[in-house]
């Protein structure tokens, strides 16, 4: 586990790739996997898969998060089709595939989302009309960048990380 705030970044940049890993969350944990990202400004210059104990985090924070910010989401862009994660404390598998504008994520073998970033044409807006916190349209985000693992102060574990260029 990693304590405190911070990120672990790849040394290399990745454009088209498949990432597979296992992750485990502690109660109330809020974490994420960043990709095609710039480590100097991960949120505004890269993409994120939210990894979170939805129930535990929301209870602790005393607020409900929109589904597009919950576990397995294309962060702040589109909600996961469902929360496919196992109970807190158990290992989950994650597979992320990025090819050109297409991005798809699976957790425990089920697809959470599949998006085409070209659909995000307006800064601060999602294709469904909801708002997001991005200052640029996601279609204009880099198609290449670092992969990073985020820690927001609660313990989270990653193992068996494999990145294959496509």
């Amino acid at each position: 586990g990693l304590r405190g705030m911070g990120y672990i970044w790849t040394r290399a940049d990745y454009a088209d790739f498949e990432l597979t890993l296992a992750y485990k969350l502690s109660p109330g944990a809020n974490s994420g996997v960043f990709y095609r990202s710039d480590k100097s400004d991960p949120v505004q210059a890269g993409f994120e898969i939210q990894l979170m104990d939805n129930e535990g985090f929301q209870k602790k924070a005393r607020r409900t998060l929109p589904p597009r910010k919950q576990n397995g989401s294309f962060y702040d862009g589109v909600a996961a089709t469902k929360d496919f994660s196992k109970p807190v404390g158990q290992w989950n598998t994650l597979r992320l595939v990025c090819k050109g504008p297409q991005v798809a994520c699976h957790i425990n073998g089920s697809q959470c989302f599949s998006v085409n970033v070209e659909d995000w044409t307006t800064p601060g807006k999602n294709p469904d009309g909801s708002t997001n916190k991005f200052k640029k349209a996601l279609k204009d985000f880099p198609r290449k960048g670092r992969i990073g693992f985020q820690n927001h102060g609660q313990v989270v574990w990653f193992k068996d990380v494999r990145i294959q260029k496509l």
Side-chain angles (χ1 to χ4, degrees):
L2 185 68
R3 291 198 179 271
M5 293 284 282
Y7 298 85
I8 298 171
W9 291 102
T10 58
R11 285 192 196 97
D13 285 338
Y14 294 89
D16 291 348
F17 65 90
E18 177 179 75
L19 167 71
T20 57
L21 58 81
Y23 75 92
K24 182 168 74 166
L25 301 173
S26 61
N30 171 6
S31 179
V33 174
F34 283 77
Y35 53 100
R36 290 179 171 173
S37 191
D38 179 340
K39 65 182 193 174
S40 68
D41 191 3
V43 173
Q44 291 295 335
F47 298 96
E48 178 186 0
I49 299 165
Q50 181 78 299
L51 297 181
M52 166 182 284
D53 167 18
N54 287 341
E55 230 170 281
F57 178 84
Q58 292 181 113
K59 195 158 49 181
K60 197 171 64 185
R62 293 195 177 86
R63 63 192 168 104
T64 304
L65 290 172
R68 67 181 183 277
K69 290 187 178 181
Q70 292 185 27
N71 192 70
S73 64
F74 177 67
Y75 182 74
D76 213 11
V78 77
T81 50
K82 193 179 160 202
D83 185 359
F84 296 108
S85 55
K86 295 178 181 171
V88 167
Q90 292 186 30
W91 286 101
N92 297 277
T93 60
L94 181 145
R95 182 167 74 98
L96 170 69
V97 179
C98 292
K99 211 159 167 45
Q102 300 287 339
V103 180
C105 179
H106 292 75
I107 291 179
N108 295 322
S110 296
Q111 186 172 283
C112 306
F113 67 80
S114 177
V115 298
N116 182 330
V117 299
E118 294 288 336
D119 296 341
W120 274 260
T121 54
T122 311
K125 271 238 186 305
N126 294 316
D128 68 2
S130 61
T131 58
N132 65 45
K133 66 180 185 184
F134 304 113
K135 295 177 182 116
K136 288 192 317 201
L138 293 185
K139 74 172 181 57
D140 298 327
F141 271 46
R143 297 286 167 93
K144 183 178 188 170
R146 303 273 182 102
I147 295 171
F149 304 100
Q150 179 196 44
N151 176 266
H152 256 320
Q154 306 90 358
V155 182
V156 58
W157 295 264
F158 294 99
K159 69 175 184 179
D160 302 332
V161 177
R162 289 188 183 79
I163 306 167
Q164 184 182 345
K165 290 188 173 181
L166 299 176

